């Protein structure tokens, strides 16, 4: 299991949609998210040492920075590696349904190629309940469950399930 060291709070960025908020960490991890709403249990609880993460991180060493797009809660994580600069544009989109959370992440290598490690492990109950029934659909979407929540991930049709991490 990949874990990320804790950081001082000023190194986290808040993204929010009016129904919930998430904290983005410097290693590309979402370190905190309660779902489906603000007052529900955390499904990403790395901030307090719990389980669950959604991380997008360069595999090479990097120097981290980031910024908010002006007038918004859209955060841009920015990593400079030996070969390129990578940005991950992150936001929570208001889904129109209070029982649904929509995390948006768009990754762009500014110059050159980059290898990224992506880890999605949603764990209900502050990290106590693992994901199960993980499967890829014919259209490339991934589906899973944790606690009483359903998880759907799209945009990664070529992703490979890491069986060791899922165990």
């Amino acid at each position: 299991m990949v874990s990320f060291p804790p950081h001082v709070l000023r190194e986290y960025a808040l993204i929010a949609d009016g129904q919930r908020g998430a904290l983005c960490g410097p290693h590309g991890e979402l370190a905190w998210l309660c779902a489906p709403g603000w007052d529900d249990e955390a499904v990403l609880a790395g901030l307090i040492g719990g389980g669950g993460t959604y991380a997008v991180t360069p595999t090479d060493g990097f120097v981290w920075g980031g910024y908010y797009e002006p007038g918004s809660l859209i955060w841009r994580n920015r990593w400079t590696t030996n070969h390129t600069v990578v940005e991950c544009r992150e936001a929570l989109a208001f889904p129109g349904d209070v029982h649904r959370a929509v995390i948006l992440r768009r990754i762009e290598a500014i110059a050159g190629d980059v290898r990224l490690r992506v880890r999605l492990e949603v764990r209900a109950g502050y990290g106590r309940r693992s994901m199960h029934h993980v499967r890829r659909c014919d259209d490339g979407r991934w589906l899973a469950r944790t606690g009483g929540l359903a998880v759907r991930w799209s945009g990664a049709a070529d992703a490979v399930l890491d069986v060791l991490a899922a165990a």
Side-chain angles (χ1 to χ4, degrees), residues 37-54:
W38 290 102
D39 59 347
D40 291 299
E41 294 180 341
V43 295
L44 306 176
L47 185 68
I48 61 169
T53 191
Y54 182 18

Side-chain angles (χ1 to χ4, degrees), residues 8-160:
V8 294
L9 279 177
R10 71 176 170 266
E11 292 183 352
Y12 292 93
L14 173 70
I15 57 176
D17 67 5
Q19 295 297 320
R20 67 207 52 80
L23 291 178
C24 303
H27 291 279
E29 78 278 18
L30 291 181
W32 185 260
L33 173 67
C34 293
W38 290 102
D39 59 347
D40 291 299
E41 294 180 341
V43 295
L44 306 176
L47 185 68
I48 61 169
T53 191
Y54 182 18
V56 176
T57 308
T59 58
D60 293 337
F62 59 85
V63 175
W64 168 79
Y67 60 95
Y68 285 103
E69 291 184 4
S72 75
L73 282 179
I74 298 171
W75 176 251
R76 286 189 178 253
N77 258 319
R78 185 176 178 94
W79 304 286
T80 303
T81 71
N82 288 335
H83 309 289
T84 189
V85 175
V86 181
E87 285 192 356
C88 182
R89 187 173 190 244
E90 312 194 51
L92 284 176
F94 183 69
D97 180 346
V98 296
H99 302 293
R100 191 170 287 176
V102 177
I103 301 168
L104 302 173
R105 297 185 108 172
R106 180 173 173 226
I107 302 159
E108 181 180 8
I110 305 302
D113 294 330
V114 65
R115 291 186 53 84
L116 298 171
R117 180 177 300 113
V118 178
R119 179 169 183 91
L120 175 63
E121 184 183 9
V122 180
R123 297 179 63 94
Y126 298 96
R128 293 187 304 269
R129 297 186 198 107
S130 63
M131 285 190 346
H132 53 90
H133 296 100
V134 179
R135 65 184 177 90
R136 182 176 37 212
C137 300
D138 291 339
D139 63 3
R141 290 177 303 134
W142 288 84
L143 303 176
R145 297 199 62 81
T146 181
L149 301 173
V151 177
R152 181 175 60 200
W153 187 44
S154 59
D158 295 331
V160 177

